[in-house]
């Protein structure tokens, strides 16, 4: 991650020309091995990583600037995830490039990101709406003592098998750190499940225990999903994190049990 041959964790000049080589893929197997998921084995979840790009621009055929926003969707089954700083640099490299048509830009971005991820990546101009009427139950007002911040603690998770419920919980207190730069990553997390009632206080303490943990956004969401599945035994489970913007990008990974409907694409007010 800190090799002088890659752009992560160090100052990098603003790109002056289009350059897909700026994209830096990271094997998902690195993070999944730490979750006990076998390389090449079946995954206990389905999902996607939904990126929102707020600072996208290029030149039209006459050299006039064009600005846009975009939603980029990377499938969770792709062998690589795309590191966020490299994605920012790549998108910036389009700023001085000329394109004959808007559709050509979308196709070029989709092609380059698909090559980096190792699977088809979807690109659409525009952003999903703000979710101003979230009906999830916030657990953040619960009074709990917290003392562990540097390592996720799945032992904090408990569920009552005698009380089966269907509920969606939310916390805005999820924070972890980028494993490359050490910068904070802030997110709201939603957990929708059906099954034994999850202890809300224990769940909140568990999420707070990520506070100084260093892991990529996608890996944190998969860790939360796997820990909940193992400790609480839900019949249905969906975990989505909506991370706040950094460098004109935010990322929203979600993971669900196979057979469930995907979460409706939306943004938080904090995004």
């Amino acid at each position: 991650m800190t090799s002088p041959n890659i752009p992560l964790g160090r100052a990098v000049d603003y790109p002056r020309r289009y350059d897909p080589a700026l994209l830096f893929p990271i094997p998902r197997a690195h993070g999944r091995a730490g979750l006990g998921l076998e390389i090449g084995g079946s995954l206990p979840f389905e999902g996607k990583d939904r990126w929102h790009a707020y600072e996208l621009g290029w030149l039209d055929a006459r050299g006039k600037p064009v600005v846009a926003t975009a939603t980029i969707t990377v499938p969770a089954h792709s062998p690589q995830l795309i590191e966020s700083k490299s994605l920012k640099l790549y998108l910036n490299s389009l700023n001085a490039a000329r394109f004959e048509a808007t559709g050509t830009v979308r196709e070029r971005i989709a092609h380059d990101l698909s090559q980096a991820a190792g699977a088809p990546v979807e690109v659409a101009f525009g952003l999903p709406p703000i979710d101003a009427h979230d009906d999830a139950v916030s657990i953040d007002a619960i009074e709990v003592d917290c003392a562990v911040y540097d390592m996720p603690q799945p032992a904090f998770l408990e569920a009552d098998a005698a009380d089966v419920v269907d509920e969606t919980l939310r916390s805005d207190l999820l924070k972890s750190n980028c494993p490359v730069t050490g910068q904070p990553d802030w997110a709201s997390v939603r957990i929708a499940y059906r099954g034994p009632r999850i202890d809300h206080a224990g769940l909140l303490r568990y999420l707070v225990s990520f506070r100084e943990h260093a892991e990529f956004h996608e890996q944190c969401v998969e860790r939360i999903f796997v820990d909940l599945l193992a400790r609480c035994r839900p019949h249905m489970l969906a975990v989505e994190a909506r991370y706040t913007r950094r460098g004109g990008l935010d990322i929203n990974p979600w993971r669900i049990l196979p057979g469930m409907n995907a979460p409706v694409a939306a943004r938080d007010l904090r995004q």
Side-chain angles (χ1 to χ4, degrees):
M1 298 297 181
T2 57
S3 166
N5 298 319
I6 61 177
L8 312 186
R10 61 184 178 87
V12 179
D13 290 338
Y14 175 81
R16 300 294 177 180
R17 60 181 180 82
Y18 163 69
D19 186 3
L22 290 167
L23 291 168
F24 188 78
I26 296 174
R28 293 187 189 270
H30 290 172
R32 289 172 178 171
L35 299 177
L37 302 178
E38 296 183 5
I39 297 176
S42 61
L43 297 172
F45 49 71
E46 298 174 348
K48 295 183 178 180
D49 306 326
R50 191 180 71 251
W51 294 84
H52 301 146
Y54 298 83
E55 302 171 4
L56 178 60
W58 63 90
L59 303 178
D60 68 13
R62 300 179 64 183
K64 181 182 177 181
V66 181
V67 295
T69 57
T71 299
I72 299 167
T73 307
V74 183
H77 67 260
S78 64
Q80 284 88 233
L81 59 85
I82 300 172
E83 194 277 332
S84 59
K85 183 177 180 180
S86 76
L87 178 56
K88 172 189 174 182
L89 292 170
Y90 163 75
L91 293 178
N92 282 342
S93 81
L94 297 169
N95 292 346
R98 294 195 182 205
F99 293 91
E100 292 291 331
T102 299
T104 305
V105 181
R106 185 193 63 78
E107 292 170 3
R108 179 67 56 85
I109 296 173
H111 172 271
D112 292 343
L113 297 186
S114 297
Q115 290 292 109
V121 172
E122 300 173 8
V123 177
F125 290 123
L127 301 170
I130 295 289
D131 187 3
H133 303 287
D134 186 6
D135 58 359
V137 176
S138 175
I139 61 174
D140 292 346
I142 299 173
E143 296 292 334
V144 293
D145 294 326
C146 299
V148 180
Y149 307 105
D150 60 346
M151 183 178 297
Q153 299 292 318
F156 291 160
L157 297 171
E158 296 180 353
D160 184 357
D163 186 9
V164 176
V165 299
D166 189 337
E167 63 179 357
T168 301
L169 306 176
R170 168 183 174 148
S171 175
D172 297 325
L173 302 185
L174 180 61
K175 173 196 169 290
S176 55
N177 293 332
C178 173
V180 175
T181 65
Q183 295 297 305
D185 294 325
W186 306 87
S188 298
V189 61
R190 286 161 184 73
I191 298 166
Y193 76 98
R194 182 183 305 143
R197 182 183 296 275
I198 296 173
D199 178 67
H200 293 186
L203 175 61
L204 184 58
R205 292 177 65 213
Y206 167 74
L207 295 174
V208 169
S209 72
F210 279 78
R211 195 165 181 81
E212 297 300 332
H213 177 64
E215 200 166 37
F216 292 112
H217 311 74
E218 302 92 331
Q219 295 168 348
C220 286
V221 170
E222 292 183 0
R223 183 176 296 278
I224 293 169
F225 185 98
V226 169
D227 285 347
L228 283 169
L229 195 62
R231 298 282 303 185
C232 301
R233 304 293 182 183
H235 311 313
M236 305 291 281
L237 177 63
V239 177
E240 178 187 17
R242 299 176 184 173
Y243 281 86
T244 57
R245 198 182 315 178
R246 180 149 32 109
L249 295 166
D250 67 50
I251 182 172
N252 307 261
W254 56 265
R255 303 292 185 264
I256 60 176
L257 281 174
M260 292 182 61
N261 293 327
V264 176
R267 292 180 292 144
D268 270 0
L269 291 172
R270 294 167 68 193
Q271 297 178 307

